[in-house]
Amino acid sequence: ATPRSSARQLVREALERYGLNPDDFGQFALCDVVGRPGGGGGGGAAGGGWQGEHLREVGDWERPLVLQELWKPKAGWSRRFEIRRRQDLERAGDNN
């Protein structure tokens, strides 16, 4: 990934890297997730976990590394990028 990489390119590369069809990139979206360590969830550092609290779908042509450089979460919060199925995002939006 470089500052010139678009979210669309990164999703496509991730699918290819994990043995999925990169042509299916339209079914997936890169999401900018802000959260905190803890929460008892599975992933993350040993003894910790990750509790994502705010999620935003990154536009296909946005540049995630530029976003990361220009906007930092407040103290006590962290950010990560996650790839999610678009249908799951739509379903979650219907519940709000």
Side-chain angles (χ1 to χ4, degrees), residues 39-91:
W50 167 261
Q51 180 63 43
E53 297 196 22
H54 305 283
L55 178 142
R56 180 184 78 86
E57 183 177 339
V58 177
D60 284 343
W61 302 110
E62 288 186 78
R63 311 263 186 246
L65 294 184
V66 173
L67 290 174
Q68 190 173 26
E69 182 63 31
L70 294 175
W71 182 80
K72 308 273 187 211
K74 291 183 178 182
W77 294 83
S78 60
R79 127 193 289 151
R80 69 185 189 184
F81 290 100
E82 299 178 354
I83 295 176
R84 304 264 181 111
R85 289 188 178 275
R86 289 188 192 272
Q87 68 184 33
D88 294 342
L89 294 172
E90 292 166 5
R91 218 176 293 139

